[in-house]
Amino acid sequence: MTQDVLEEGQDKRRVGVYAAIASFLLFSMIQFRDGPFIRPHPAFWRVMLGINLLYELALVFLLFQDLGTARNMMTLIDPNLGRPLPEKSYAEDCSLTPQTIWNALDIFCIAHALGWFGKAMILRDYWFCWILSIAFELAEYSLQHQLPNFAECWWDHWVLDVLICNWLGTYLGMKTCQYLEVKPYEWRGFRQTRGIRLKAKRVLSQFSPHDFTAFKWGTAKSFTHYVTVVLLLAVFLAAELNPFYLKSLLWMEPDHPVVISRLAGVFLCALPAVRELYQYINDPRRAVRMGQHVWLLLATIVTELLVIVKWSKGIFTAPAPHSVKLGWLIGAILLILYPVVQFGIPSARRYIRKHQKKVKSKAL
């Protein structure tokens, strides 16, 4: 009898939480401001903003919990959680044979391609995707002393991941962007469309963009664009690395619904966020401030980082190898050196010329 009462109480709490979440999302759908997208409906993106806010609030709550408490709380979502999982290394046999290559082909190859298809849809820029792809592999190299599943064979890093899976996903994503950029749009409403076939086509088109903006980030255009691209690259890398650390700390499998939901949620939230950021940087007259999607997603990624840093104390004790520190130092120097050469020196030359002209004009 007591057990039945406890289970009934747990069910009531669970239903109460679900009802509170549904009520908040309903309020979000009705009252939140519209974002940059209107397809499939502005209400959908308002709900996504509400989901992002709920996730951010959950992260803030977890930030004040210790790791053991957080692991116990995860069992409320899934009773199968809360048990340590073995870390898998992908660099046990790096011999380049048909058998090892076949063993490396798994469901994660498809996940890689789908992930980069999504990133191409978000960033809409070939070179940005390539830089991010290479940067992520370098990040895996530099962090494999903490997470063993980052250890991969060289051909797995650069051939299977970068040149095949990532390239395929990026290529298909950019082709989709090009199609959406030039596709003919049907502006008539549903009622004005005649015939079942045309009506079905109109319904499906509701889930495609109403309009599409091609992104040209222009790193070399100005110092502001350069800083924006570097910060966006850093945020994307953090968003990519965070789930690996969170699933390791919370003992979750890569294919757990919580992990997949987080990846899908960040993708859907990043679509309007990056669009708002691009518009803010390139069209400041129309976008006088960064949009709500940008700020909230940025806060979410930063809060994830804070949670990981707090929970990682005493967990990842292996020091970074000297080669990793040297690599990050070289990368930091190059990131600083490029804007100095590209923007600082030309600006200094223009200033000197302008000053010399003023001196000559005064002398005359």
Side-chain angles (χ1 to χ4, degrees), residues 228-244:
T228 301
V229 170
V230 171
L231 291 178
L232 184 60
L233 177 64
V235 171
F236 256 84
L237 279 177
E240 286 283 300
L241 295 171
N242 285 353
F244 287 95

Side-chain angles (χ1 to χ4, degrees), residues 174 207 275:
M174 290 304 300
F207 295 92
R275 170 65 181 274

Side-chain angles (χ1 to χ4, degrees), residues 68-242:
T69 302
R71 287 170 176 169
N72 290 331
M73 292 176 62
M74 295 303 296
T75 59
L76 300 176
I77 300 175
D78 184 355
N80 296 321
L81 296 176
R83 289 188 287 269
L85 299 174
E87 288 285 355
K88 181 180 179 181
S89 175
Y90 296 91
E92 296 176 355
D93 184 7
C94 289
S95 58
L96 193 57
T97 63
Q99 184 62 37
T100 55
I101 295 175
W102 176 257
N103 292 335
L105 297 175
D106 52 18
I107 190 64
F108 296 109
C109 294
I110 300 177
H112 266 285
L114 288 176
W116 283 98
F117 176 85
K119 294 181 187 69
M121 293 293 295
I122 295 171
L123 295 171
R124 309 179 191 180
D125 194 297
Y126 261 121
W127 73 267
F128 204 144
C129 290
W130 274 112
I131 291 176
L132 183 61
S133 177
I134 295 172
F136 180 76
E137 298 301 324
L138 294 176
E140 283 191 325
Y141 270 117
S142 62
L143 295 173
Q144 62 187 12
H145 63 283
Q146 294 183 345
L147 296 179
N149 59 358
F150 277 165
E152 298 176 353
C153 301
W154 67 267
W155 48 265
D156 198 347
H157 274 295
W158 302 110
V159 179
L160 192 59
D161 286 353
V162 175
L163 295 181
I164 297 180
C165 297
N166 297 0
W167 173 83
L168 179 62
T170 302
Y171 176 79
L172 295 177
M174 290 304 300
K175 283 298 180 182
T176 304
C177 291
Q178 293 172 8
Y179 167 75
L180 294 174
E181 186 180 356
V182 300
K183 65 172 286 191
Y185 292 110
E186 180 61 58
W187 300 100
R188 290 183 299 172
F190 183 77
R191 294 181 179 179
Q192 288 75 31
T193 305
R194 297 181 179 180
I196 297 178
R197 183 178 179 181
L198 292 178
K199 286 183 180 293
K201 185 178 179 181
R202 177 64 182 84
V203 170
L204 293 176
S205 69
Q206 186 67 24
F207 295 92
S208 65
H210 184 272
D211 52 37
F212 196 82
T213 302
F215 290 169
K216 295 179 176 61
W217 291 100
T219 310
K221 186 184 298 184
S222 67
F223 181 72
T224 302
H225 283 77
Y226 173 78
V227 173
T228 301
V229 170
V230 171
L231 291 178
L232 184 60
L233 177 64
V235 171
F236 256 84
L237 279 177
E240 286 283 300
L241 295 171
N242 285 353

Side-chain angles (χ1 to χ4, degrees), residues 19-33:
I21 293 174
S23 301
F24 178 79
L25 293 180
L26 179 62
F27 176 83
S28 304
M29 182 178 66
I30 297 173
Q31 293 295 333
F32 278 12
R33 295 200 313 267

